[in-house]
Each structure stands twice: as C-alpha cells, then as structure tokens.
Amino acid sequence: MTATGTSEPDTPKPDPLPHQLLCALAQHRMATTRQLHDLLRPNVARQTVSTPLNKLRHKGLVDYTVLPQSSLTRAWYLTSEGARLTRDIPALRGRPPYPINSATAASLKTPHTLTVVRAHLAFAADARRLGHEHGPFDWTPEVSHPLGEGERIMADALMHYNVIDGEHRRKLRAFIEVDRTTMSSERLAIKLIDYARLYHYEPQPVGRRKPTLPGPNWLRWYPLFPRVLFILTGASPTRMRNRISDLQAMTTQHPHVAALARDVPLAAAILEDIEEHSPTAPVWVPLAGGEPCSWTDL
C-alpha cells in the first residue's frame, strides 16, 4: 500500500490479446492456432487464444485454411479488412505489404510461411528461457533490399535479438534463410552471392548529385551487416548435411562470398536440431570453417 498523497509509477499495460493476434498475423502473414499460442501466450491454455481468434473471424478480420493431413489444424491469416485495419499500427509501421488474405493465396504459401514461423518460435522460446530480449515483433519476414540494376534480395526474415548478460546487452541482427529442400543445392548456395552483392553494393549518384549516405547501401538500415543464418529442414540428415557442405564450398570458392565471410558471420543449422537442443546450442556450422557453435558465438 502506498502512502496518502503518493502514487506508484504507471506501468504500461500490454495490448489486449485480440490486438496482439491481429498484429502477429500482419507480421508473420500466417500462423496456426498453436503457433500463435506459443508466440503470444505460451503459459496459458490454448483456448485462451482460439476463442478470440474465432471472434475475430466472426467480425470478418481473420480467416483460416485447414492444413491437409493435419487433423483439422487451422492456419490463420488476415482478411482484406483485417489487413487494412492493421496497416497503420505503430508496431507494424514500415512493414512491406505482402498480406495473405485469401484461401487460395494461403494454400500456396502455407508450407514455407509456417516453417519460417516455426523457426522463429525456436528463437523466441530460447530467449524466454535465457532472459534475452526477443519478442513476437523482433522477427520481420520477407525483408527486401536492392542489389542494383533493378534486382533485389529478399531474406525470409530479419531477426533482432538482444543477448542479456548481467548488466551487459549485446545487440545482434541476422538475416534468416529457411530452406525446405524444395530448390536445388546450387540455387540455395547462390543466395550467398546475393548477400555478398548486398554487402558491397553502393548506389551510383545520378548526374552530379552526391549520395545521401556515402558507403554501402546497407548502412541506411544497419550499423553492422546482419549475420546470415541458413536453417534447413524437409530432407534426410545426410541430404541436409550435403547442402551445408555446398554452402561451405561456395563460401570458400567464390571470391566475393569469401570476402563477405571475413567480415560477416555465416552459418547453417538443421531446424530439428535447433528445436531439440535450442538455437544457442552448438548446432550451427560456420560456413567459413570451424567447429559447430551457438549462433550468438559466431
């Protein structure tokens, strides 16, 4: 109890759960009921999440598609009205507009989108366990940057993560590439060349106009170039290890990727290993060589 005439400092109240659900679906494009539960309310009954989801659907703000061969598992997404409503929410300001707002679009994007959410959940659970800072909106899917000549690179996600060690905080960022073994190993490894291009790309001024920010273009968004993490799933352990070997070969054999690797941590891990042992376990293979380690120790 406080003394008369004094008041306790105001504590910001969290947004109501329906608001958080709309924001999470706007941020992640799509998620199952269980994924939304694990992301937003991991320590309460799942019905706590499913009840407001059904109310939002009744209001026409969200809808779902049933995953095939899944015992009626629902994957939720925003309707057009839900996407319009969330467009100006401060937490989502600056998000690129790539909503999934129809059953057809949902069915096409479901496997990859839900796998990216699955990867995020592993990092989020590990952060809660360790007392690190990483929340539902510290993971931004489909982040795109120009490479010049009209080309762009799109990462599956950009992760913001703060490692807390006593009074010390270490800010980490990472581009996330989720590989479900649906493309050739060569096409996967070529993504490293695109990241090397992004690292070195400097826009050329038009005419006599000086560049607004001298140096590589990525300095417009990042104080340090984010590390690049490949997360593999969807194949046998042997096949995924072979794909990691191909990523290592690209890193050592391509001069531009090798130059990138001298300055930027590059690593790969298997999603099932991350989920079983945690992302901070020594399950990450450094692409430039070395023993497996935690992604935070790269």
Side-chain angles (χ1 to χ4, degrees), residues 30-40 114 117-118 121:
M30 178 188 296
T32 66
T33 308
R34 179 171 182 173
Q35 287 178 331
L36 290 167
H37 167 267
D38 292 349
L39 188 66
L40 299 173
L114 295 184
V117 178
R118 182 179 156 195
L121 289 173

Side-chain angles (χ1 to χ4, degrees), residues 2-114:
T2 59
T4 304
T6 64
S7 62
E8 296 180 349
D10 292 334
T11 302
K13 295 182 179 180
D15 291 325
L17 181 56
H19 179 89
Q20 292 181 20
L21 288 167
L22 289 173
C23 288
L25 290 175
Q27 180 83 353
H28 292 81
R29 318 300 192 203
M30 178 188 296
T32 66
T33 308
R34 179 171 182 173
Q35 287 178 331
L36 290 167
H37 167 267
D38 292 349
L39 188 66
L40 299 173
R41 294 292 189 276
N43 299 317
V44 301
R46 194 176 304 175
Q47 189 173 353
T48 305
V49 169
S50 60
T51 297
L53 277 171
N54 285 312
K55 290 181 179 179
L56 290 170
R57 183 171 185 259
H58 182 72
K59 294 178 180 179
L61 299 177
V62 304
D63 206 345
Y64 65 81
T65 185
V66 177
L67 301 184
Q69 302 174 345
S70 66
S71 301
L72 302 180
T73 296
R74 296 178 176 183
W76 297 87
Y77 57 91
L78 295 179
T79 63
S80 296
E81 178 62 18
R84 186 196 64 78
L85 188 66
T86 59
R87 192 173 299 136
D88 296 323
I89 291 176
L92 301 172
R93 197 164 291 153
R95 287 288 290 115
Y98 305 131
I100 297 173
N101 50 26
S102 71
T104 301
S107 64
L108 293 173
K109 290 181 173 287
T110 296
H112 186 76
T113 303
L114 295 184

Side-chain angles (χ1 to χ4, degrees), residues 135-212:
F137 304 106
D138 294 325
W139 179 281
T140 308
E142 300 175 2
V143 170
S144 174
H145 291 306
L147 297 175
E149 300 179 352
E151 297 183 68
R152 303 185 69 87
I153 181 173
M154 181 178 289
D156 286 326
L158 171 68
M159 177 173 64
H160 293 261
Y161 193 104
N162 288 339
V163 175
I164 308 300
D165 184 9
E167 297 181 356
H168 300 284
R169 298 168 72 247
R170 184 160 60 108
K171 295 180 180 292
L172 300 177
R173 296 170 184 82
F175 289 123
I176 305 294
E177 290 290 340
V178 175
D179 172 44
R180 296 187 301 111
T181 329
T182 55
M183 67 174 69
S184 70
S185 185
E186 182 179 6
R187 282 185 59 200
L188 176 66
I190 285 174
K191 287 197 168 186
L192 283 167
I193 301 177
D194 288 338
Y195 279 107
R197 292 176 62 193
L198 175 62
Y199 184 65
H200 294 288
Y201 170 57
E202 295 188 32
Q204 298 302 310
V206 178
R208 296 182 178 180
R209 189 177 65 185
K210 295 182 179 180
T212 56

